[in-house]
C-alpha cells in the first residue's frame, strides 16, 4: 500500500473493454467479435482473427471512477482520465485521454490504438485518474487495481502463464548451454521473452509419453509427469520474477508489467497468505534481500507451485489407477 501526501479516492477505477478492431495492411478494418476479449480474464487476444497482416488495433474502453470523484468539496480539479498501455519488453508506453460520457458523471470512454510494430507479445493496460491537488498538476487520484493484458499474438484472451515448449537433444543441441544438462529430462529457461521449457529428447520414451493420448495407466503417468514439469516451471518462473524486480526510490519493489508480474500476482497469495499482494511482494523482497527468512520461504513457494500444477490431483489419479489395476489382477 502506497502512502500519498495528499487526498485521493480510496476505491479503484473499473475498466472495461467494449470493442476491438484491427486495421489491415490493405486499409480495411476487421471488427472482432466479443470473443476477442474477456472481462473475467481481463485480457484481449489480437491474434484471434488469424490475420497476419494487421497494422494496428483499436480497443474501445469504458472506465467508471469511484464515488466521490465529482464531490463539490473534492480536493482536486482539472480532472483527466488516461488509459495507458505499457510494454515492459519493448519499453513502449502509449497513453490516450478518455472523455466523460455525461456532465458530472463518473463514466468515461474512448479508444486506444495499439501499433503492432511496437509490441512483440503482451502489454499491460491500465487507467489512471489524475488532477491538480494543492496546486500540483498531474497527481494520481485513482487507478485500476487490476490491469488488462493485451496480447498481440494469442488467439485466446487468457491471463495465464504462457510457455514455449521445445524439444532438443541436450547432448547434441546447437545451444551449447544445454550440454551440461544432458542427464535431466527437461530444463526451464526464464531468461527468454516467454518462459521456455526444453524437453530432452535423449531421454528414451519421454517424447512418446508426453505425446500419448491414452486414458489408461500410460495417461496417468503422463499426467503425473506433466504435473511435475509444471511444478518445476512455476517454481522457476517465480524465482526468475523475484530476481528481476525493479525498486522504487524509497526502496519498495514494483510489480513488473509482463509475464513476471502475472506470475507474482498469481502465486503470492499462497506464498504469503492473508495480506494484499503488494504487501506480500514487499515481504518476499525483504526476505530475499535481507539477512534471514528467504530459506524458510522456499516451502511456501514450492507449495504455491505444486497447487498451480495440480500435482496432488495428478498423483491421486495415478494412485487410483494403480490400485484398480492391482484389484483387477487379483480377480
Amino acid at each position: 500500500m502506497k502512502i500519498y501526501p495528499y487526498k485521493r479516492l480510496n476505491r479503484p477505477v473499473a475498466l472495461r473493454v467494449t470493442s476491438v478492431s484491427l486495421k489491415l495492411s490493405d486499409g480495411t478494418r476487421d471488427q472482432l467479435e466479443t470473443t476477442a476479449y474477456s472481462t473475467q480474464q481481463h485480457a484481449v487476444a489480437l491474434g484471434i482473427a488469424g490475420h497476419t497482416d494487421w497494422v494496428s488495433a483499436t480497443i474501445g474502453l469504458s472506465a467508471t471512477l469511484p464515488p466521490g470523484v465529482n464531490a463539490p468539496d473534492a480536493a482536486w480539479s482539472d480532472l483527466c482520465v488516461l488509459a495507458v498501455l505499457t510494454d515492459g519488453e519493448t519499453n513502449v508506453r502509449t497513453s490516450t485521454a478518455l472523455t466523460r460520457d455525461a456532465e458530472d458523471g463518473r463514466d468515461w470512454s474512448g479508444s486506444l490504438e495499439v501499433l503492432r510494430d511496437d509490441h512483440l507479445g503482451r502489454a499491460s493496460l491500465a487507467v489512471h485518474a489524475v488532477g491538480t491537488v494543492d496546486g500540483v498538476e498531474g497527481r494520481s487520484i485513482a487507478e485500476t487495481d487490476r490491469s488488462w493484458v493485451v496480447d498481440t499474438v494469442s488467439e485466446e484472451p487468457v491471463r495465464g502463464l504462457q510457455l514455449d515448449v521445445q524439444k532438443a537433444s541436450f547432448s547434441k543441441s546447437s545451444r551449447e548451454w544445454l550440454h551440461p544438462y544432458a542427464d535431466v529430462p527437461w530444463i526451464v529457461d526464464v531468461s527468454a521473452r516467454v518462459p521456455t521449457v526444453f524437453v530432452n529428447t535423449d531421454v528414451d520414451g519421454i517424447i512418446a509419453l508426453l505425446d500419448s493420448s491414452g486414458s489408461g495407466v500410460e495417461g496417468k503417468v503422463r499426467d503425473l509427469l506433466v504435473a511435475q514439469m509444471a511444478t518445476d516451471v512455476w517454481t522457476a518462473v517465480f524465482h526468475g520474477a523475484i530476481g528481476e524486480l525493479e525498486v522504487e526510490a524509497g526502496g519498495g519493489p514494483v510489480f513488473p508489467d509482463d509475464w513476471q508480474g502475472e506470475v507474482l500476482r498469481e502465486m503470492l497469495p499462497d506464498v504469503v497468505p492473508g495480506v494484499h499482494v503488494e504487501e506480500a511482494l514487499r515481504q518476499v523482497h525483504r526476505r530475499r534481500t535481507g539477512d534471514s527468512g528467504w530459506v524458510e520461504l522456499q516451502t511456501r513457494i514450492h507449495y504455491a507451485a505444486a497447487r498451480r500444477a495440480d500435482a496432488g490431483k495428478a498423483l491421486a489419479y495415478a494412485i487410483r489407477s494403480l490400485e484398480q489395476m492391482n484389484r483387477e489382477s487379483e480377480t
Side-chain angles (χ1 to χ4, degrees), residues 44-47 54 114-116 119-123 150-154:
V44 178
L46 298 181
W54 65 274
V114 181
L115 300 179
R116 184 175 187 178
H119 307 279
L120 297 175
R122 291 185 160 196
V150 178
D151 196 316
T152 59
V153 180
S154 177

Side-chain angles (χ1 to χ4, degrees), residues 107-175:
D107 294 325
W108 297 63
S109 60
S111 61
L112 178 78
E113 186 175 21
V114 181
L115 300 179
R116 184 175 187 178
D117 289 344
D118 286 345
H119 307 279
L120 297 175
R122 291 185 160 196
S124 177
L125 176 62
V127 165
H128 301 263
V130 299
T132 300
V133 183
D134 298 333
V136 180
E137 298 179 352
R139 281 189 155 173
S140 176
I141 306 303
E143 58 279 318
T144 46
D145 61 349
R146 186 188 185 195
S147 298
W148 280 65
V149 170
V150 178
D151 196 316
T152 59
V153 180
S154 177
E155 298 179 2
E156 185 177 359
V158 295
R159 296 184 68 90
L161 178 65
Q162 285 193 321
L163 293 174
D164 183 14
V165 179
Q166 297 190 25
K167 304 171 186 177
S169 168
F170 285 15
S171 62
K172 303 174 184 177
S173 175
S174 58
R175 300 180 178 88

Side-chain angles (χ1 to χ4, degrees), residues 302-323:
H302 184 269
Y303 165 72
R307 279 198 65 192
R308 269 133 202 89
D310 280 335
K313 184 184 297 183
L315 178 60
Y317 286 163
I319 291 174
R320 284 200 293 268
S321 181
L322 290 173
E323 290 176 343

Side-chain angles (χ1 to χ4, degrees), residues 79-243:
L79 186 65
C80 178
V81 178
L82 300 173
V84 181
L85 184 70
T86 305
D87 192 320
E89 184 177 357
T90 60
N91 291 323
V92 171
R93 183 184 293 265
T94 305
S95 64
T96 187
L98 304 184
T99 303
R100 198 195 306 259
D101 291 348
E103 186 177 356
D104 294 331
R106 294 191 291 118
D107 294 325
W108 297 63
S109 60
S111 61
L112 178 78
E113 186 175 21
V114 181
L115 300 179
R116 184 175 187 178
D117 289 344
D118 286 345
H119 307 279
L120 297 175
R122 291 185 160 196
S124 177
L125 176 62
V127 165
H128 301 263
V130 299
T132 300
V133 183
D134 298 333
V136 180
E137 298 179 352
R139 281 189 155 173
S140 176
I141 306 303
E143 58 279 318
T144 46
D145 61 349
R146 186 188 185 195
S147 298
W148 280 65
V149 170
V150 178
D151 196 316
T152 59
V153 180
S154 177
E155 298 179 2
E156 185 177 359
V158 295
R159 296 184 68 90
L161 178 65
Q162 285 193 321
L163 293 174
D164 183 14
V165 179
Q166 297 190 25
K167 304 171 186 177
S169 168
F170 285 15
S171 62
K172 303 174 184 177
S173 175
S174 58
R175 300 180 178 88
E176 295 185 0
W177 66 270
L178 285 174
H179 295 178
Y181 309 113
D183 58 342
V184 299
W186 59 76
I187 205 78
V188 184
D189 178 18
V190 297
S191 64
R193 180 179 65 85
V194 175
T196 303
V197 181
F198 289 94
V199 180
N200 189 1
T201 58
D202 295 334
V203 177
D204 289 340
I206 188 171
I207 300 302
L209 181 60
L210 290 174
D211 290 343
S212 65
S213 57
S215 58
V217 176
E218 184 182 65
K220 299 300 184 293
V221 174
R222 177 201 62 226
D223 293 344
L224 194 59
L225 185 67
V226 170
Q228 179 59 57
M229 184 185 297
T231 301
D232 291 349
V233 169
W234 278 106
T235 303
V237 295
F238 183 86
H239 281 282
I242 285 292

